[in-house]
Amino acid sequence: MVQNRYTLAEYVGNPQDWRYTWEIRDDVTLSSTCDFCSRTLQRVTYEVFREGRTAWICESCVARYNIGGEIDGEVLGPKTARGYAHGLTARLKQQTCHDLIRRVQTALPEAELGEVVVYFDRNLQLSPQGAARLFAAMVQIGEETSAGVFEVQTRSKAHQQEFGALTDAERRLVWIALSPQQRRRLASLGFAPEGTVIRRSTGRRASLSEAELAAPRIAVLSEVAALDRAEKE
């Protein structure tokens, strides 16, 4: 598989010269771009500054470069600053998902998402069944949020079987939120949505498979509804 190589913009110079402002953006449409490396389709970006200039950088650059910061006059080293940024990120993502579920619940009370709210607050993830119910409700109200902002549990056999018990339409909704590793595992169990293409790698890792939908990955849930309507017509 060909991997993209990313290079820093010329104005960046030495990343260690930049500092965090501790402002973080959570883009639920996954449409932000990193000002350092130009990666697109980003969810979380972090504001950094140097000599009066600011930039918004992605999580990959946060992990890769030794950027420092300051809190209440105390200078933080790169490792401590990175850890603090990750802590802020975890809390921000949790709050974003919680608020989104509540918003959908208010807009569509007949969806009965109470159990989904409780499950997420306890686990900070969705079960496959809960994800299918929530994403269907999001489609119904036209919510312009990527399903990828949520994490779906599929590690246990119980959750894998729960995914397998979903209808094909429900699997398609949940599939959008899964990582490549999750997709490969579920595809190996025969649970991939209908029409999924299975590509097997070669060489020493020939036993592994990569699963992807025949159509391009749908990033925004409202587009799933549009696709579903087109298929019915």
Side-chain angles (χ1 to χ4, degrees), residues 88-102:
L88 292 176
T89 303
R91 290 192 290 274
L92 177 62
K93 286 183 175 181
Q94 177 184 352
Q95 189 62 50
T96 295
C97 291
H98 176 87
D99 291 347
L100 176 57
I101 298 173
R102 289 292 191 184

Side-chain angles (χ1 to χ4, degrees), residues 132-214:
R133 183 184 303 177
L134 173 64
F135 297 164
M138 291 168 67
V139 169
Q140 190 171 342
I141 67 173
E143 172 64 45
E144 292 288 332
T145 298
S146 171
V149 303
F150 290 96
E151 294 184 9
V152 182
Q153 292 182 324
T154 62
R155 178 170 295 183
S156 71
K157 290 184 178 180
H159 284 119
Q160 291 165 6
Q161 293 298 321
E162 183 177 317
F163 179 86
L166 298 175
T167 66
D168 189 71
E170 290 172 330
R171 292 185 199 180
R172 284 177 175 273
L173 284 175
V174 178
W175 194 260
I176 299 170
L178 302 180
S179 69
Q181 294 79 10
Q182 288 177 303
R183 295 181 185 183
R184 287 196 292 268
R185 177 56 179 163
L186 291 170
S188 72
L189 297 172
F191 295 153
E194 183 178 350
T196 301
V197 177
I198 308 297
R199 296 178 179 175
R200 296 191 176 278
S201 55
T202 59
R204 291 184 301 174
R205 302 185 66 183
S207 60
L208 297 181
S209 63
E210 179 179 354
E212 58 183 25
L213 289 176

Side-chain angles (χ1 to χ4, degrees), residues 23-25 33-36 45-48 54-58:
E23 291 293 326
I24 305 177
R25 291 175 177 169
T33 299
C34 178
D35 291 335
F36 269 22
T45 51
Y46 307 76
E47 188 181 44
V48 294
T54 61
W56 290 89
I57 66 174
C58 66

Side-chain angles (χ1 to χ4, degrees), residues 9 14 27 37 54 61 67 73 95 103 115-116 118 129 132 136 142 144 148 154 161 167 177 206 209 211 214 227 231:
N14 186 348
D27 182 355
C37 68
T54 61
C61 285
I67 300 171
Q95 189 62 50
R103 186 165 71 247
E115 293 182 4
V116 177
V118 173
Q129 188 176 63
E144 292 288 332
T154 62
Q161 293 298 321
T167 66
S209 63
L227 178 65
E231 289 178 346

Side-chain angles (χ1 to χ4, degrees), residues 226-233:
L227 178 65
D228 184 57
R229 286 196 297 269
E231 289 178 346
K232 290 180 179 179
E233 293 173 355

